[in-house]
Amino acid sequence: MKHSFKAILVVCLFAVLFGSMSSYAAPQKTLRFMWWGGETRHKATIDAIELYMKKNPGVKIIGEYGGFSGYQQKLLTQLVGGTAADIIQIDQPWVADLMSQGDLFADLYRFKELKLNGFNKNFLKSQCEWDKKLVGLPTGMNGLIYVANTDFMAKHKISLNTRWDWDKLVEVGAKVHRQNSNDYLLDMDLTQIQQMIIMHVKQHTGAKYWINADYTPGFDKAGLAAAFAYYQKLQSSGAILPLKDSILFNLKSEQNPRWANGQIGINQIYVSTIAQYYLDGKMKLEAMLPALMRGAKISGITVRPSQLLVINKKSGNAKEAAHFLNWFFNSKEAAVALKTERGIPATTSAIKTLEQNKLLDSNMAKGINLAVKNAGPPENDLSTNKELTTTFEEYIQLVGYNKLSPDEAATQMLRDTRAKLAELKSQR
């Protein structure tokens, strides 16, 4: 009996010891994943992360997510301070500014864990490389479109097949506002107004780039003054929600109560954000082509990655991060979980999976097709420089609040832009 007890004790000790050794032999790897978005994107991404962790129990992924406002500055602070996440969602126009701070992101071409054959190679080269390094992978294809509230359009007897040009927006918008002083055909925040002005200038002048690669403005005073005057005309005619009201919902125009209440007809958005404008199924929407001048050689309509996912070069688990990204972009499970929360997927396999499962939103598909078919040249890095866009937004406000005339604003903005470009050129 004593011998049996001793034998049992020895077996128990071995079991405890073996279990303890096993836990030390295979420590759990932890990845931090940082992104921005709305509630539907958060849920879809968390669902995908949980699927991956279930398949890979030795990996723990911590999501760090929130809204877009303040995200870029927070990220820059973390990168400089060495506290940034392992996997990070960034906006493609930020690449130049971020990489000017140092070699911050891993070259994804170097990871054998990543299979890139599902991506369009030319798109990766033109939109996702920096100094011949693949700094990020596109979460989706994105394009600038109009999204219309179909109930609003029906109420005001506006055809969903309308081919918008600049004059028609004013004509129809003024009529809408005369019929009901609470209704506006258009709503645009500062970023959207900036995009509209750039499109107006490019279509009327044929400028290929907003800022040229030789550090000179791609626009001139006359073209900019005309675009500023057009924006004032939209406001004075009642075609667009006044700036004093739209600015309250800057970078979150879908949260404006006027949109939910059916008082706004059209928002100018990127395709990847369309889910937010459905307001959990409360709104009926239709994708439309933005204003396009007949005979324009350059549309100014942007097509670009929805976002990029990058790997922090300082990550201690870069290979595991690459393994996760490979699953995130290439697996059927991830495609079904993520759906189109970051736009039309950038891989052929993900698109096929969504089509087979009837998960591809018809407006998203229509929107990206309209944008791609009518796309202008991709913007260069200088055109999206943060300091230049901040200056641009300041002058939009001066014009929008009638503090400066269009001609005065164009003169001063051209002067300030040239000065900033000279400074940037001297820092190369």
Side-chain angles (χ1 to χ4, degrees), residues 219 221 224-225 228 405-415:
F219 59 91
K221 176 188 168 184
L224 183 58
F228 277 145
S405 71
D407 191 71
E408 291 169 334
T411 299
Q412 294 179 32
M413 180 172 151
L414 188 58
R415 177 200 64 204

Side-chain angles (χ1 to χ4, degrees), residues 66 114 122 129 155 190 204 214 255-256 270 278 280 301 326 337 348 371 391 393 401:
L114 272 172
N122 291 329
E129 284 190 4
K155 180 174 72 172
L190 283 174
H204 285 80
D214 63 356
Q255 296 179 27
N256 190 329
Y270 275 108
Y278 279 110
D280 294 324
I301 295 173
N326 186 66
T348 53
T391 297
E393 289 181 354
Y401 293 130

Side-chain angles (χ1 to χ4, degrees), residues 61-335:
I61 301 177
I62 300 171
E64 300 175 7
Y65 51 91
F68 184 76
S69 182
Y71 181 97
Q72 185 179 7
Q73 186 56 51
K74 177 182 177 181
L75 172 59
L76 184 57
T77 300
Q78 290 181 345
L79 286 168
V80 172
T83 60
D86 302 276
I87 301 166
I88 307 165
Q89 178 178 293
I90 68 169
D91 205 8
Q92 191 265 354
W94 301 347
V95 170
D97 281 350
L98 291 173
M99 294 302 282
S100 69
Q101 307 295 322
D103 194 13
L104 301 174
F105 307 129
D107 180 3
L108 301 184
Y109 281 136
R110 296 181 175 274
F111 290 93
K112 63 182 181 181
E113 292 84 0
L114 272 172
K115 308 303 180 189
L116 304 176
N117 51 305
F119 293 93
N120 182 294
K121 290 182 180 179
N122 291 329
F123 191 72
L124 291 183
K125 184 177 178 63
S126 65
Q127 301 277 2
C128 308
E129 284 190 4
W130 176 264
D131 195 23
K132 297 183 179 180
K133 297 176 182 177
L134 184 63
V135 296
L137 289 175
T139 58
M141 298 280 287
N142 214 354
L144 202 61
I145 61 165
Y146 285 170
V147 61
N149 174 347
T150 59
D151 289 338
F152 180 101
M153 304 296 268
K155 180 174 72 172
H156 289 283
K157 297 180 172 58
I158 304 169
S159 171
L160 294 173
N161 295 317
T162 300
R163 189 185 188 283
W164 296 107
D165 58 32
W166 303 104
D167 292 335
K168 191 174 287 293
L169 284 176
V170 174
E171 175 192 339
V172 175
K175 183 180 177 181
V176 163
H177 196 57
R178 285 197 302 271
Q179 291 172 344
N180 187 329
S181 61
N182 292 318
D183 288 359
Y184 295 88
L185 178 65
L186 298 168
D187 177 26
M188 297 185 193
D189 65 18
L190 283 174
T191 300
Q192 294 161 339
I193 295 167
Q194 185 178 150
Q195 293 161 344
M196 178 192 71
I197 288 173
I198 290 173
M199 284 195 291
H200 189 283
V201 169
K202 287 184 174 182
Q203 290 179 27
H204 285 80
T205 67
K208 187 175 181 180
Y209 297 112
W210 185 246
I211 303 295
N212 296 317
D214 63 356
Y215 289 81
T216 60
F219 59 91
D220 58 19
K221 176 188 168 184
L224 183 58
F228 277 145
Y230 178 77
Y231 172 51
Q232 280 194 336
K233 190 174 183 179
L234 283 175
Q235 286 212 114
S236 63
S237 68
I240 193 170
L241 186 68
L243 184 61
K244 66 180 179 63
D245 296 317
S246 64
I247 203 168
L248 299 175
F249 298 91
N250 197 43
L251 301 178
K252 50 185 178 182
S253 56
E254 79 283 356
Q255 296 179 27
N256 190 329
R258 290 177 181 270
W259 175 250
N261 295 335
Q263 296 173 314
I264 301 293
I266 292 172
N267 263 288
Q268 177 185 282
I269 68 168
Y270 275 108
V271 174
S272 66
T273 66
I274 198 169
Q276 300 164 212
Y277 289 83
Y278 279 110
L279 302 183
D280 294 324
K282 296 175 185 175
M283 309 292 287
K284 290 183 286 185
L285 308 179
E286 184 73 20
M288 304 182 80
L289 185 68
L292 188 57
M293 183 182 78
R294 293 186 184 277
K297 294 182 180 179
I298 301 290
S299 71
I301 295 173
T302 305
V303 173
R304 40 154 291 190
S306 303
Q307 307 92 23
L308 299 180
L309 292 186
V310 303
I311 295 178
N312 185 348
K313 196 166 186 180
K314 293 184 178 179
S315 170
N317 289 307
K319 286 187 177 182
E320 188 59 50
H323 188 272
F324 169 72
L325 288 185
N326 186 66
W327 179 87
F328 190 91
F329 284 107
N330 294 317
S331 77
K332 291 181 180 181
E333 291 171 299

Side-chain angles (χ1 to χ4, degrees), residues 28 47-61 320 323-324 326-328 330-335 337:
Q28 190 176 55
D47 287 346
I49 287 172
E50 289 177 349
L51 279 172
Y52 183 82
M53 291 193 297
K54 188 175 180 180
K55 291 175 68 71
N56 299 270
V59 180
K60 180 180 180 181
I61 301 177
E320 188 59 50
H323 188 272
F324 169 72
N326 186 66
W327 179 87
F328 190 91
N330 294 317
S331 77
K332 291 181 180 181
E333 291 171 299

